[in-house]
Structures are given as structure tokens and as C-alpha cells.
């Protein structure tokens, strides 16, 4: 565990861009001419607060270059229209796609920011009609908005949840087809917390069920689930770099030991496919 009390950014992610993409990626930059594995996903794939995220650990284990394309707080939409990423993926030996939750994506009920998918932009007419008692101008983030709707009326919220699940399956199918024929789905367990409202509803990618993932199996080479690793607080924080102001956010994520577990589970799958 490393603390940086002075700076706001304790870990240097060596940020850079690919081609014309407006997204910023975690470095170090890798050459795309050699054989490589591409990794697309959210905060865990990016490796926020983690010195060596699982894509880098996979590179060390396999000897094959890993290109980390993860985005913090990403939903599916951030990757949907990035043609640069689609090309990188199609040219990869294998693309590992983290199974992201079904909340941070545009749908008939609400719009999200095209790159920062956790940001709430606006509610649609159907959502306003479903919740006429809600002032949606008070929300900036998707999770805050959904938590409020669920707390207000869980029965009405089921309609929102089912819509999100249907859109997620369609969006995933389109994305996988854009990424090419060598896609592996990676299902990561989220860190459990008793205070998280979503923790009372489901563990894992938010609102994504095994049946939903099964519907994608014909489009992918493999589906790899990695259960959570239960460790003490001190062990969880080993290999994490953050300042004192970031400690709460860091504790909400899986630690370095989980990233090692992910890499170890992925290795035989990638060895077989490469």
C-alpha cells in the first residue's frame, strides 16, 4: 500500500490517446504492430489505484503485449462509436471485453454522456410519465438517479430495470460484432458493501444476469467468470496507490490480489486462443 498525501493524483497512469479517438487511455503506450491482446472495460480494467492492473499481469504471464483500453466508470456506449477501438480490437489476437453493468448506457428512459457514461444528461418523456413526482433536474449521475427511483417506488423501478436489461443485450450484440471474432467475455464480481443500494439487489455487473450473458455465447469465443476474493483490509490495499482523500474510493474497488486472480484465470483461456 502506498500513500501520497501531497498530490491529488497519487498514481501516474501515463495517459495517452490512440489516433483520432477522444478517449484517454492508461499507459504505457504499446506498439500495435506486434501480436497483442486488447482489453476493453471499465474501472477495474483500467486499474484505478492499482499499480499493476490485470491486463499488465496477463502480459507478464503470457509474454504477449496487452493493450489496456479500459475507461473509468465506462458503460457500453463509450465504446460503441469509437471506430479506432473497433479497429484495434479486430487486429488483436484476442479481445477481452469486461461485462459492464446495464445502468450506464443510453436507453428509451434516459440519456447518458457519450464518453463519461456515468453522467446523467436528461430523462425522456416515458420516464417522466412513469415518475411524474420526480424532478430530474436534480441529478448529475446515473447511480444517484436510479437509487432515488428505486427508493421511491421499487415496483415502478422494475419497469426501468427490465428496459435496461433488454437494451443491454442488444447493445452488447452490436458491440461484439464491431470488435471482431476473437472476443472473450470477462465477468468480474464487484466489491461487496453493505451500504451500497445495488448490493442488496445483485452482486456482479449491475442488472446483468447469467441468462443475459448466455444469449451472447454464440458471438464470443469464451465467457470467463472470476469470483470475488475475500481478503483483509490490509491485504486489499496492498499494491494500491492513492492519497488520503481517495481512500474511501479505493476501498470500494477490488485490490491487487483480485487483479492477480483475474490474470491467472485468463491465462489458460488466452493461451488456448492465441
Amino acid at each position: 500500500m502506498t500513500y501520497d498525501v501531497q498530490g491529488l493524483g497519487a498514481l501516474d497512469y501515463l495517459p495517452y490517446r490512440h489516433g483520432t479517438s477522444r478517449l484517454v487511455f492508461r499507459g504505457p503506450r504499446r506498439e500495435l504492430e506486434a501480436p497483442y491482446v486488447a482489453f476493453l472495460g471499465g474501472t477495474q480494467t483500467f486499474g484505478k489505484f492499482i499499480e499493476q492492473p490485470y491486463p499488465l499481469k496477463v502480459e507478464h504471464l503470457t509474454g504477449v503485449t496487452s493493450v489496456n483500453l479500459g475507461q473509468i466508470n465506462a458503460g457500453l456506449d463509450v465504446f460503441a462509436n469509437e471506430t479506432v477501438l473497433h479497429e484495434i480490437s479486430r487486429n488483436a489476437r484476442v479481445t477481452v471485453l469486461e461485462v459492464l453493468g446495464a445502468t450506464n448506457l443510453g436507453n428509451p428512459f434516459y440519456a447518458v454522456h457519450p464518453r463519461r457514461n456515468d453522467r446523467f444528461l436528461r430523462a425522456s418523456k416515458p420516464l417522466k410519465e412513469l415518475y411524474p413526482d420526480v424532478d430530474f433536474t436534480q441529478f448529475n449521475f446515473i447511480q444517484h438517479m436510479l437509487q432515488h427511483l428505486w427508493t421511491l417506488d421499487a415496483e415502478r423501478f422494475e419497469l426501468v430495470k427490465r428496459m435496461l436489461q433488454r437494451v443491454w443485450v442488444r447493445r452488447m450484440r452490436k458491440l461484439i460484432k464491431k470488435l471482431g471474432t476473437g472476443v472473450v467475455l470477462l465477468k468480474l464480481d464487484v466489491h461487496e458493501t453493505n451500504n451500497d443500494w445495488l448490493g442488496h439487489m445483485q452482486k456482479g455487473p449491475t442488472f446483468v444476469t447469467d441468462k443475459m450473458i448466455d444469449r451472447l455465447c454464440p458471438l464470443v469465443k469464451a465467457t470467463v467468470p472470476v469470483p470475488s476474493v475475500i481478503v483483509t483490509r490490509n491485504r486489499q490495499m496492498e499494491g494500491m496507490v492513492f492519497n488520503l482523500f481517495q481512500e474511501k474510493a479505493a476501498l470500494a474497488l477490488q485490490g491487487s490480489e483480485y487483479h492477480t486472480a483475474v490474470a491467472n484465470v485468463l491465462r489458460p483461456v488466452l493461451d488456448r486462443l492465441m
Side-chain angles (χ1 to χ4, degrees):
M1 172 177 59
T2 303
Y3 286 102
D4 176 358
V5 183
Q6 303 297 324
L8 291 178
L11 185 59
D12 184 1
Y13 297 112
L14 305 174
Y16 72 99
R17 296 180 188 272
H18 277 295
T20 59
S21 175
R22 297 179 66 182
L23 299 177
V24 177
F25 303 96
R26 177 172 182 163
R29 181 190 291 270
R30 296 293 191 238
E31 294 295 331
L32 299 180
E33 296 179 358
Y36 62 87
V37 178
F39 293 83
L40 276 71
T43 302
Q44 292 284 12
T45 296
F46 179 89
K48 186 176 182 180
F49 304 128
I50 301 293
E51 288 184 287
Q52 294 192 17
Y54 73 83
L56 184 58
K57 291 177 180 287
V58 167
E59 179 175 290
H60 293 162
L61 288 173
T62 64
V64 178
T65 299
S66 290
V67 181
N68 188 342
L69 304 174
Q71 296 289 303
I72 294 176
N73 296 325
L76 297 181
D77 288 4
V78 73
F79 303 115
N81 299 311
E82 286 288 334
T83 56
V84 172
L85 301 192
H86 304 161
E87 182 179 359
I88 292 173
S89 177
R90 288 193 297 269
N91 291 331
R93 289 289 182 90
V94 181
T95 295
V96 178
L97 175 60
E98 179 189 348
V99 177
L100 301 173
T103 56
N104 294 357
L105 77 172
N107 61 84
F109 279 138
Y110 57 82
V112 305
H113 191 282
R115 290 181 302 281
R116 301 190 64 179
N117 296 163
D118 60 324
R119 295 297 182 96
F120 174 75
L121 293 185
R122 60 188 173 275
S124 67
K125 182 179 178 181
L127 186 59
K128 292 178 181 178
E129 291 176 345
L130 182 61
Y131 284 92
D133 45 345
V134 174
D135 175 14
F136 287 95
T137 62
Q138 66 182 299
F139 304 116
N140 293 315
F141 293 92
I142 300 297
Q143 298 303 325
H144 180 206
M145 186 265 294
L146 292 179
Q147 180 179 1
H148 181 81
L149 299 185
W150 175 73
T151 303
L152 187 65
D153 189 332
E155 185 174 344
R156 277 186 285 174
F157 186 78
E158 280 299 309
L159 297 175
V160 178
K161 177 181 175 180
R162 288 198 293 270
M163 171 62 78
L164 291 173
Q165 291 174 323
R166 289 194 297 270
V167 172
W168 184 90
V169 173
R170 293 197 298 267
R171 201 71 49 83
M172 276 290 284
R173 283 174 171 164
K174 290 182 180 179
L175 177 59
I176 291 170
K177 290 177 181 178
K178 290 179 180 179
L179 298 180
T181 59
V183 175
V184 170
L185 294 182
L186 178 64
K187 182 184 177 185
L188 304 179
D189 273 359
V190 297
H191 185 73
E192 289 192 85
T193 169
N194 294 328
N195 296 321
D196 185 352
W197 70 283
L198 292 172
H200 297 295
M201 305 173 75
Q202 179 186 332
K203 180 183 176 184
T206 311
F207 301 151
V208 176
T209 66
D210 289 340
K211 288 184 178 180
M212 292 164 63
I213 295 176
D214 289 344
R215 295 174 65 181
L216 304 173
C217 286
L219 301 176
V220 301
K221 294 294 185 181
T223 299
V224 181
V226 185
S228 59
V229 175
I230 307 300
V231 297
T232 64
R233 181 178 181 275
N234 286 338
R235 283 176 58 194
Q236 177 191 346
M237 296 169 72
E238 290 177 359
M240 301 184 81
V241 181
F242 52 88
N243 60 43
L244 294 177
F245 299 103
Q246 298 168 324
E247 183 172 357
K248 183 177 179 181
L251 289 174
L253 299 172
Q254 294 279 9
S256 180
E257 190 163 336
Y258 184 67
H259 283 256
T260 298
V262 174
N264 288 333
V265 172
L266 277 174
R267 179 181 184 176
V269 178
L270 297 179
D271 284 345
R272 173 172 58 85
L273 294 176
M274 292 189 296

